[in-house]
Amino acid sequence: MGSKILPQALITIPRNPNQYPPVKLGFSAALSRRSSISARVSLSRVSSSSIGSVFSPIVSAISKRNFVVRADPSSEGEVGATDDAQENEATGSGEASVAVVEAEAEAVLEPESEEPKPPRKSRVKLGDIMGILNKRAVEAAEQERPVPDIRTGDVVQIKLEVPENKRRLSIYKGIVISRQNAGIHTTIRIRRIIAGIGVEIVFPLYSPNIKELKVLSHRKVRRARLYYLRDKLPRLSTFK
Amino acid sequence: MAAGLASKCSRVGRSLLGGLGNNLSGLLSSSHEMASSTFLSQQRTFIQMRTVLKVVDNSGAKKVMCIQALKANKKGARLGDTIVASVKEAHPNGKVKKGKVVYGVVVRAAMQRGRCDGSEVKFDDNAVVLVDKQGQPIGTRVFGPVPHELRKKKHVKILSLAEHIA
């Protein structure tokens, strides 16, 4: 029975300190809870609990550093709780360290007491985290501006706001010669002949600088990457 | 037409050579190019000594060969950098003559240059605008598109003369 790792991302950090307020309990209750959770607790916490009932501020600080690395809301909540507890620690000594223990114990047990024995939630594998983060970022970008479906061979027009060129929006037109899917950094490569010279520009699709993205027409192509257009006549890459 | 064919052949030849002998391009190229086989993809690299560039202003020169990339990293010059070059080919009556050592600003490079918003820009050829020691262009016109990276490098005069800002 490992500690329940909820599939939340680092985005949920601001919510956590409210969820897990440090509640002061009796010392014996804290001890019993500590022994029960020591079996479940993950490796970073075992070191702190195994040292014994004497919790010095140094130990809690070391265990706190282990928590910060993980994208885990229960541990983030404990960090928040121990941060609050640490301020109290400056004033008190023994009681404050007990408060740290109680805060840890309480924070771990909070989710368990909220949902009494739910069906076992599937753990988020380490390899899935980037996929989940990317999906969230893409959804957030879609809220700002919906991105149409762009495929290779579309002739598109992009209106871009450039911070250097703080005037009217720059307009880029051209044929999409490739699309690279990489989550939030999904890019399209646009090719066009400008003033006699071929220019290829790579645009990240979900960039907030892109103000408008319009598909003008579509050319039938039988490839996913149209790099052959570089060797062909400029006429094929010209778009009025 | 013949010029187009010649440039196409040189480009194909360059790509073959580039695929085989690109010992400098370890850092630079985007991951897109590395995905396909190195024989087919084009590894564009920096502008370094012996690189021949096209001159796109009306200063009189036609082709220059880079001698030195100024104030650039060890590997070479990129879009927007200044180079020292020697004029290899020139118009008969122009401001510069063949064999003269000049400074130039790279306005078009075949190697992609990343921008701060994640986009990248690359051109089909390498081109340079001749300038003097102070950075003012020698010619009075600039042909072809120029990127707006030049604004950051304080080459505002070249931007104002340009036909099109990419």
Side-chain angles (χ1 to χ4, degrees):
Chain A
M1 197 76 38
S3 59
K4 297 206 194 287
I5 302 176
L6 306 170
Q8 306 271 339
L10 288 167
I11 309 171
T12 62
I13 290 174
R15 291 214 304 261
N16 281 334
N18 304 331
Q19 273 184 9
Y20 309 117
V23 173
K24 290 210 187 305
L25 298 170
F27 191 73
S28 58
L31 271 178
S32 66
R33 283 213 184 111
R34 218 184 330 123
S35 58
S36 65
I37 62 171
S38 63
R40 291 182 241 170
V41 147
S42 55
L43 197 60
S44 64
R45 271 175 258 167
V46 164
S47 58
S48 62
S49 54
S50 66
I51 285 176
S53 62
V54 179
F55 270 77
S56 58
I58 305 164
V59 174
S60 63
I62 292 171
S63 59
K64 202 162 36 116
R65 253 179 260 132
N66 293 339
F67 297 153
V68 174
V69 173
R70 297 196 347 225
D72 188 354
S74 53
S75 68
E76 294 296 334
E78 284 162 21
V79 171
T82 48
D83 273 335
D84 302 339
Q86 185 120 64
E87 286 155 26
N88 303 337
E89 261 181 356
T91 61
S93 54
E95 230 191 48
S97 56
V98 171
V100 167
V101 173
E102 292 161 354
E104 284 180 356
E106 192 50 41
V108 168
L109 286 176
E110 279 272 1
E112 283 149 24
S113 59
E114 278 167 12
E115 315 131 357
K117 299 217 174 117
R120 186 153 181 227
K121 292 212 183 106
S122 58
R123 302 170 71 117
V124 175
K125 297 196 179 54
L126 216 56
D128 293 341
I129 293 179
M130 276 310 287
I132 292 170
L133 287 178
N134 268 324
K135 232 190 309 188
R136 281 160 188 269
V138 165
E139 278 159 25
E142 286 272 341
Q143 298 290 332
E144 308 277 323
R145 174 183 61 90
V147 166
D149 179 36
I150 306 257
R151 304 185 64 176
T152 314
D154 290 345
V155 178
V156 301
Q157 178 174 335
I158 295 185
K159 290 210 177 125
L160 197 75
E161 179 206 345
V162 176
E164 298 175 317
N165 228 3
K166 279 184 296 318
R167 282 183 294 153
R168 156 169 14 110
L169 309 178
S170 322
I171 301 184
Y172 296 99
K173 202 193 287 193
I175 184 168
V176 176
I177 61 173
S178 86
R179 176 192 167 121
Q180 305 269 3
N181 294 320
I184 189 74
H185 196 56
T186 302
T187 60
I188 51 171
R189 191 178 267 258
I190 309 271
R191 179 176 168 84
R192 186 185 182 189
I193 303 284
I194 302 179
I197 306 290
V199 182
E200 288 182 16
I201 310 187
V202 172
F203 292 105
L205 271 185
Y206 299 110
S207 159
N209 286 338
I210 295 182
K211 297 302 174 207
E212 191 196 320
L213 183 52
K214 193 166 56 163
V215 176
L216 300 173
S217 60
H218 181 77
R219 181 194 282 185
K220 176 168 183 241
V221 290
R222 306 200 63 182
R223 239 149 218 76
R225 312 279 157 92
L226 313 178
Y227 297 148
Y228 63 84
L229 284 178
R230 295 177 186 153
D231 301 324
K232 291 269 195 188
L233 288 177
R235 179 169 58 87
L236 293 174
S237 302
T238 317
F239 302 98
K240 291 276 165 280
Chain B
M1 246 341 178
L5 200 60
S7 70
K8 254 190 293 173
C9 290
S10 65
R11 208 179 310 133
V12 168
R14 208 191 318 145
S15 72
L16 286 177
L17 286 176
L20 296 176
N22 50 350
N23 33 15
L24 289 186
S25 60
L27 303 177
L28 56 93
S29 67
S30 60
S31 52
H32 314 150
E33 306 290 68
M34 298 306 269
S36 49
S37 76
T38 47
F39 192 65
L40 291 177
S41 75
Q42 299 181 323
Q43 296 286 10
R44 305 298 194 157
T45 176
F46 297 88
I47 294 181
Q48 44 185 322
M49 204 187 296
R50 304 285 290 185
T51 304
V52 175
L53 299 111
K54 209 161 72 164
V55 175
V56 289
D57 56 3
N58 59 351
S59 58
K62 284 202 274 206
K63 290 247 175 1
V64 297
M65 179 182 289
C66 172
I67 299 178
Q68 193 70 250
L70 294 176
K71 221 195 297 194
N73 54 350
K74 288 198 309 193
K75 298 220 156 59
R78 298 204 284 180
L79 197 59
D81 291 340
T82 322
I83 62 167
V84 186
S86 148
V87 178
K88 289 295 178 191
E89 216 182 284
H91 284 300
N93 40 352
K95 290 187 200 137
V96 296
K97 297 273 176 283
K98 179 170 167 225
K100 188 154 179 273
V101 172
V102 288
Y103 287 81
V105 169
V106 180
V107 296
R108 295 202 283 271
M111 187 172 105
Q112 66 269 11
R113 174 99 198 207
R115 294 188 171 160
C116 53
D117 61 350
S119 57
E120 290 178 356
V121 64
K122 79 192 269 224
F123 296 88
D124 273 2
D125 64 345
N126 300 313
V128 76
V129 165
L130 301 186
V131 292
D132 59 13
K133 265 242 167 79
Q134 277 70 41
Q136 304 302 314
I138 299 178
T140 54
R141 287 179 65 188
V142 169
F143 304 107
V146 296
H148 52 72
E149 264 84 0
L150 299 181
R151 193 182 299 266
K152 199 141 176 254
K153 307 264 181 178
K154 305 283 185 296
H155 295 124
V156 188
K157 191 92 197 304
I158 301 178
L159 274 177
S160 65
L161 293 172
E163 287 184 3
H164 190 281
I165 302 188

